[in-house]
């Protein structure tokens, strides 16, 4: 690294040389190198704030090698939030408050906080399902009003902990995925039994409750649409790509980590909807993906990319299911869209270069 060379630090929860997304970070390194940017990976817990250095890893000569690096000019935050994030949060906060460091974007917090921000937008509110923090009273009201409900962890990922609850003549039908993302189903006979299940399943964590929406194809296959939007090299938002994620028919979610697969959007919609309905759905998705990022950035603070999960019910209505500020890119490899996949990898580096030029 030369004295004048700018650096991009990928901040992640790595324990020594063991960290996730190595293949992705390798590609970021190679793209950065072509742009004259030094890229390395580090854990926020390895920062020495006195010497303004950090122990990390760089991809060099075909392998990941450890080293001590000056604190980066720009940080790409890939620290996924989870139960152990509290051990990292103080160090992340200190880096965020450092006037000499620029973050590509600041990660969104839980689903409830995102819901609260989006629901204040008149343009976006129509796409947001009714949502409450889970209590027995809120669950009861959802079941009475809508006939079925879904509960999900406020800070969960990959579809783990998402459960559908349907009242039946014999009690309550429970179908979903447990904490390990394994599918399960059971019948609960009484309201007291349901209350006990909720207490045990949530175990003190914050959950949300929403109406159950029929987000599945006519043959019963659950699906959603992943839309990736990113800042480009001009600092403006751009739709990088769109794909349909199909779940197992035994599941209520379509997340790839739950055994799902991906297909291109256009052909899938054409297979299941009339042409005029398909056109309306695609227009709505594009409008949503254009309006949501700048609004969310205005109320939350700088963002670099968003994975917007869009649900489409059997009537063709479009819903915002989830917004993720640390999205994956696997879906574009699965649908064989190399252009979208390359853009998805290159855009963070291009946006970093844009910020470096404007420093």
């Amino acid at each position: 690294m030369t004295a004048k060379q700018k650096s991009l630090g990928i901040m992640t929860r790595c324990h020594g040389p063991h960290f996730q997304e190595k293949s992705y970070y390798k590609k970021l390194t190679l793209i950065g190198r072509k742009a004259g940017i030094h890229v390395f990976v580090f854990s926020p817990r390895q920062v020495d704030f006195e010497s303004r250095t950090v122990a990390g890893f760089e991809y060099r000569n075909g392998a990941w090698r450890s080293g001590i690096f000056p604190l980066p000019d720009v940080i790409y935050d890939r620290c996924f939030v989870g139960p152990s994030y509290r051990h990292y949060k103080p160090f992340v906060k200190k880096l965020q408050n450092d006037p000499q460091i620029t973050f590509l974007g600041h990660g969104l917090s839980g689903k409830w906080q995102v819901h609260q921000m989006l629901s204040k937008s008149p343009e976006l509110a129509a796409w947001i399902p009714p949502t409450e923090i889970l209590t027995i009273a809120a669950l009861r009201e959802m079941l009475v009003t809508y006939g079925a409900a879904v509960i999900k962890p406020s800070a969960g990922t990959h579809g783990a902990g998402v459960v559908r609850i349907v009242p039946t003549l014999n009690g309550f039908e429970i179908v979903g995925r447990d904490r390990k993302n394994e599918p399960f189903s059971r019948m609960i006979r009484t309201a007291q039994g349901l209350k006990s299940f909720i207490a045990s399943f949530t175990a003190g964590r914050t959950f949300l409750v929403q109406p159950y929406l029929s987000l599945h194809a006519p043959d019963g296959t659950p699906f959603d649409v992943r839309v990736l939007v990113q800042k480009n090299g001009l600092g403006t938002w751009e739709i990088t790509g769109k794909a349909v994620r199909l779940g197992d028919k035994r599941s209520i979610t379509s997340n790839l980590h739950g055994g799902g697969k991906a297909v291109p959007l256009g052909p899938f919609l054409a297979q299941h909807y009339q042409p005029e309905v398909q056109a309306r759905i695609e227009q709505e998705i594009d409008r949503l993906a254009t309006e949501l990022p700048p609004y969310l950035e205005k109320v939350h603070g700088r963002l670099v990319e968003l994975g917007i999960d869009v649900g489409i019910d059997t009537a063709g209505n479009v819903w915002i299911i989830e917004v993720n500020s640390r999205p994956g890119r696997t879906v574009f490899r699965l649908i064989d869209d190399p252009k979208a996949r390359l853009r998805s990898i290159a855009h963070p580096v291009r946006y970093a270069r844009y910020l470096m030029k404007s420093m």
Side-chain angles (χ1 to χ4, degrees):
M1 178 177 171
T2 63
K4 292 183 179 180
Q5 189 180 25
K6 293 290 188 181
S7 58
L8 172 63
I10 303 169
M11 185 172 69
T12 187
R13 293 191 287 171
C14 53
H15 305 282
H18 306 293
F19 49 91
Q20 296 180 329
E21 300 192 296
K22 277 188 175 180
S23 175
Y24 174 43
Y25 300 156
K26 171 186 169 182
K27 292 181 179 74
L28 288 175
T29 298
L30 299 177
I31 293 170
R33 195 170 291 158
K34 288 181 181 178
I37 299 170
H38 177 233
V39 179
F40 63 89
V41 178
F42 74 98
S43 164
R45 297 189 65 173
Q46 296 299 315
V47 174
D48 184 330
F49 287 96
E50 285 190 21
S51 65
R52 298 191 63 79
T53 60
V54 59
F57 298 87
E58 62 180 348
Y59 188 78
R60 183 164 41 87
N61 298 327
W64 286 99
R65 304 179 189 278
S66 61
I68 304 295
F69 311 106
L71 284 181
D73 302 289
V74 175
I75 288 178
Y76 182 23
D77 183 359
R78 295 294 290 179
C79 277
F80 292 90
V81 177
S84 63
Y85 185 69
R86 67 184 185 278
H87 300 302
Y88 295 81
K89 193 172 181 179
F91 304 97
V92 174
K93 283 285 183 189
K94 196 166 182 179
L95 288 166
Q96 288 174 334
N97 292 329
D98 191 312
Q100 296 180 48
I101 295 173
T102 300
F103 273 64
L104 287 186
H106 299 291
L108 295 170
S109 41
K111 295 184 182 74
W112 177 246
Q113 289 81 0
V114 174
H115 171 270
Q116 293 292 88
M117 288 186 278
L118 294 181
S119 59
K120 291 181 173 64
S121 162
E123 291 78 17
L124 299 172
W127 289 310
I128 302 172
T131 306
E132 300 290 341
I133 291 179
L134 175 63
T135 62
I136 294 300
L139 174 59
R140 189 182 301 119
E141 188 173 336
M142 286 284 180
L143 292 176
V144 168
T145 305
Y146 300 100
V150 164
I151 65 171
K152 59 178 71 172
S154 179
T157 57
H158 306 321
V162 179
V163 173
R164 180 184 67 202
I165 302 171
V166 182
T168 70
L169 292 174
N170 300 318
F172 302 90
E173 180 190 62
I174 311 291
V175 178
R177 290 185 171 274
D178 61 20
R179 289 190 185 190
K180 296 180 180 178
N181 214 359
E182 296 294 332
F184 75 96
S185 63
R186 69 176 65 170
M187 281 296 300
I188 295 178
R189 300 293 179 189
T190 65
Q192 183 58 43
L194 178 63
K195 188 175 180 179
S196 298
F197 167 79
I198 295 294
S200 171
F201 191 78
T202 58
R205 296 182 299 161
T206 301
F207 270 62
L208 305 182
V209 59
Q210 297 176 324
Y212 171 68
L213 303 171
S214 301
L215 306 177
H216 56 74
D219 65 356
T221 302
F223 78 93
D224 66 12
V225 181
R226 163 54 66 94
V227 184
L228 180 62
V229 290
Q230 296 175 294
K231 293 275 191 67
N232 58 25
L234 300 175
T236 56
W237 287 103
E238 184 178 302
I239 298 175
T240 302
K242 293 172 278 191
V244 173
R245 301 185 299 186
L246 300 172
D248 189 292
K249 289 184 182 180
R250 298 167 298 173
S251 175
I252 65 166
T253 63
S254 52
N255 201 284
L256 299 178
H257 288 78
K261 61 180 183 178
V263 296
L265 176 61
F268 177 84
L269 293 178
Q271 182 182 348
H272 295 291
Y273 298 93
Q274 294 297 322
E276 64 275 9
V277 178
Q278 176 186 353
R280 177 181 58 75
I281 289 171
E282 295 201 70
Q283 287 169 3
E284 272 198 69
I285 291 175
D286 283 346
R287 201 168 92 239
L288 183 161
T290 301
E291 293 179 6
L292 188 151
Y295 173 80
L296 195 54
E297 189 169 47
K298 183 175 69 176
V299 296
H300 166 77
R302 180 184 287 150
L303 295 161
V304 57
E305 57 190 353
L306 294 169
I308 306 172
D309 294 339
V310 177
I312 303 167
D313 65 25
T314 48
N317 299 309
V318 173
W319 301 96
I320 298 171
I321 302 304
E322 191 173 332
V323 182
N324 185 349
S325 57
R326 298 176 180 89
R329 290 149 177 79
T330 308
V331 68
F332 302 119
R333 175 173 56 80
L334 294 178
I335 67 169
D336 194 24
D337 188 343
K339 287 185 179 179
R341 191 154 177 260
L342 180 59
R343 283 198 305 269
S344 75
I345 297 167
H347 275 335
V349 177
R350 291 168 180 163
Y351 181 53
R353 185 172 58 180
Y354 165 83
L355 290 177
M356 290 169 183
K357 286 180 179 177
S358 61
M359 280 176 180

